């Protein structure tokens, strides 16, 4: 048979397949989420996220050491306070859990890059992402507290802040606050395209952040909507976002692709707790090859256009890169 075009020519060996690979990954593009909580001597496994833990600050060191050994040096910190109140005061307290964790980590592991989640849900007694007016989240009243939280994180040592609350105007409020205090070089990674998703269930257990009433559909996005995601991303960039994020990742790669083609800032994809938990459960039952599934999920996010991948599998992916199984 006289075939001119034979695509299989470029699939004939592992060396050749790697040579012509269209999507390439690097450990430097991975971000690992870590939960820190009050107390001492605590390394507490999260039941719905096997292999993930809540750490007290003194135990956080061993996890940072494990990340360092794996070659993952970008960390996103989530705080779990003991005290919660109506206005989430622990989020912006000078000696809050994230602020103290940052000071320790920056002193002992200064080579790491520290990103902090900026939100109110872990710190409010009602579990919503802002202050309430009756049973509604008061968007504009929340902005000042988010900006105070971001500033307190940066003063404690955060290299980047990542607001996840989905309040309108929060990027502008945070940028103004940081700039007014001399932190013009601190970047903002905006949770720009964040859907009201069932994939967040295990995280809410991990962080103790489930709302005590109602849901978050009045501020997180309707998963039926695509154009709205583009609108949110462009608004955040106009307000000063340096990086935009799509969350969750796996079911929203169309948004990753759309936005990566439309914007001139880096795009991050967050592979969330529900994605992690599903893979863990299926692997535990012997239904899937865990490593192969994890690699395929990660590559799909990069292939769609993400430059940054936030994942609870960061250490495993880094190891697979070292072993040449992906990259």
């Amino acid at each position: 048979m006289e075939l001119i075009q034979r695509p299989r020519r470029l699939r004939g060996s592992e060396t050749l397949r790697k040579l012509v690979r269209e999507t390439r990954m690097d450990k430097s593009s991975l971000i690992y989420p870590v939960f820190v909580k009050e107390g001492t001597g605590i390394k507490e496994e999260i039941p719905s996220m096997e292999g993930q833990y809540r750490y007290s600050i003194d135990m956080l060191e061993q996890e940072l050491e494990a990340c360092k050994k794996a070659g993952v040096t970008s960390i996103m910190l989530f705080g779990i306070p003991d005290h919660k109140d109506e206005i989430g005061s622990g989020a912006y307290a000078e000696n809050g859990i994230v602020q103290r964790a940052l000071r320790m980590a920056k002193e002992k592991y200064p080579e790491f890059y520290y990103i902090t989640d900026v939100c109110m849900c872990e710190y409010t007694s009602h579990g919503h992402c802002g202050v309430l007016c009756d049973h509604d989240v008061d968007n504009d009243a929340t902005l000042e507290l988010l900006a105070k939280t971001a500033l307190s994180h940066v003063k404690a040592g955060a290299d980047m802040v990542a607001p996840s609350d989905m309040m309108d105007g929060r990027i502008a409020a945070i940028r103004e606050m940081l700039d007014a205090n001399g932190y013009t070089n601190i970047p903002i990674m905006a949770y720009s395209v964040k859907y009201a998703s069932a994939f967040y269930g295990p995280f809410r257990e991990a962080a103790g952040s489930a709302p005590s009433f109602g849901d978050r559909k009045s501020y997180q996005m309707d998963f039926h909507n695509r154009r709205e995601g583009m609108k949110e991303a462009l608004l955040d960039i106009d307000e000063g976002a340096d990086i935009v994020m799509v969350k969750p990742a796996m079911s929203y790669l169309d948004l990753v692709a759309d936005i990566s083609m439309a914007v001139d800032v880096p795009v991050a994809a967050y592979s969330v707790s529900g994605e992690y938990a599903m893979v863990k459960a299926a692997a535990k039952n012997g239904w899937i090859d865990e490593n192969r599934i994890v690699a395929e999920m990660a590559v799909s996010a990069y292939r769609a256009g993400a430059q940054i991948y936030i994942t609870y599998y960061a250490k495993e992916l880094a190891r697979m890169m070292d072993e040449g199984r992906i990259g």
Side-chain angles (χ1 to χ4, degrees):
M1 188 176 239
E2 294 184 7
L3 292 178
I4 302 299
Q5 298 293 336
R6 291 183 180 267
R8 286 184 57 190
R9 290 190 190 113
L10 298 182
R11 303 173 195 155
S13 70
E14 181 67 11
T15 299
L16 181 55
R17 289 190 293 272
K18 286 184 177 180
L19 181 66
V20 300
R21 185 167 285 169
E22 297 174 30
T23 303
R24 297 183 187 273
M25 298 167 55
D26 187 88
K27 287 189 281 188
S28 62
S29 66
L30 298 171
I31 297 174
Y32 184 54
V34 178
F35 300 94
V36 288
K37 66 176 297 181
E38 302 284 359
T40 58
I42 297 171
K43 180 182 178 181
E44 180 179 86
E45 189 168 34
I46 300 163
S48 58
M49 298 176 68
E50 183 180 341
Q52 299 300 309
Y53 299 83
R54 305 178 190 95
Y55 298 92
S56 55
I57 292 173
D58 60 314
M59 298 296 284
L60 179 60
E61 289 185 54
Q62 66 177 239
E63 182 61 6
L64 294 178
E65 194 63 43
C67 289
K68 182 178 178 179
K69 184 177 180 180
V72 176
T73 55
S74 292
I75 303 296
M76 182 178 282
L77 287 174
F78 294 86
I80 306 169
D82 274 348
H83 170 73
K84 302 186 180 194
D85 56 35
E86 289 288 307
I87 57 173
S89 60
Y92 43 89
E94 182 179 353
N95 287 313
I97 181 63
V98 166
Q99 290 82 348
R100 285 185 284 118
L102 278 167
R103 286 192 283 268
M104 180 282 292
K106 289 290 279 192
E107 178 184 353
K108 297 191 175 181
Y109 292 87
E111 68 273 26
F112 276 63
Y113 193 82
Y114 297 99
I115 305 157
T116 57
D117 177 76
V118 174
C119 195
M120 309 296 292
C121 62
E122 296 104 316
Y123 304 91
T124 55
S125 52
H126 46 75
H128 279 282
C129 298
V131 294
L132 298 181
C133 179
D134 294 325
H135 271 54
D136 293 323
V137 175
D138 188 327
N139 188 96
D140 294 6
T142 300
L143 298 183
E144 180 183 357
L145 301 184
L146 293 168
K148 285 175 63 176
T149 300
L151 179 61
S152 73
H153 288 181
V154 172
K155 284 183 174 179
D159 298 299
M160 178 188 291
V161 292
S164 61
D165 55 283
M166 289 301 286
M167 297 298 115
D168 293 338
R170 89 270 201 215
I171 304 303
I174 291 170
R175 185 74 273 159
E176 182 179 354
M177 178 71 84
L178 294 180
D179 289 358
N181 285 272
Y183 296 107
T184 56
N185 291 325
I186 295 293
I188 299 173
M189 176 165 62
Y191 286 66
S192 298
V193 188
K194 181 179 178 180
Y195 286 89
S197 172
F199 283 98
Y200 304 151
F203 174 92
R204 290 176 181 170
E205 179 198 6
S209 63
S212 60
F213 66 90
D215 54 40
R216 295 179 176 143
K217 292 180 180 178
S218 68
Y219 43 101
Q220 295 178 0
M221 292 169 49
D222 183 345
F223 61 79
H224 298 81
N225 296 350
R226 187 171 182 169
R227 290 193 301 271
E228 187 182 13
M230 184 67 69
K231 176 183 178 181
E232 289 279 10
L234 295 177
L235 280 171
D236 282 354
I237 292 169
D238 286 344
E239 291 181 17
D242 301 284
I243 300 168
V244 294
M245 183 200 300
V246 176
K247 180 184 179 187
M250 186 168 64
S251 294
Y252 297 87
L253 295 182
D254 56 328
L255 273 301
V256 174
D258 286 352
I259 289 164
S260 67
M261 294 293 289
V263 305
D264 57 2
V265 301
V267 176
Y270 194 150
S271 182
V272 298
S273 59
E275 299 173 47
Y276 176 88
M278 288 192 302
V279 172
K280 277 291 181 186
K284 191 172 184 177
N285 279 287
W287 297 335
I288 60 170
D289 181 319
E290 183 175 7
N291 284 335
R292 290 184 63 190
I293 289 285
V294 169
E296 194 171 333
M297 288 168 60
V299 169
S300 70
Y302 289 94
R303 190 180 65 238
Q307 291 89 46
I308 298 166
Y309 193 52
I310 306 164
T311 174
Y312 301 96
Y313 276 113
K315 291 180 292 183
E316 290 84 354
L317 284 167
R319 186 180 66 249
M320 285 187 263
M321 291 179 198
D322 284 341
E323 294 170 355
R325 286 188 278 170
I326 55 172

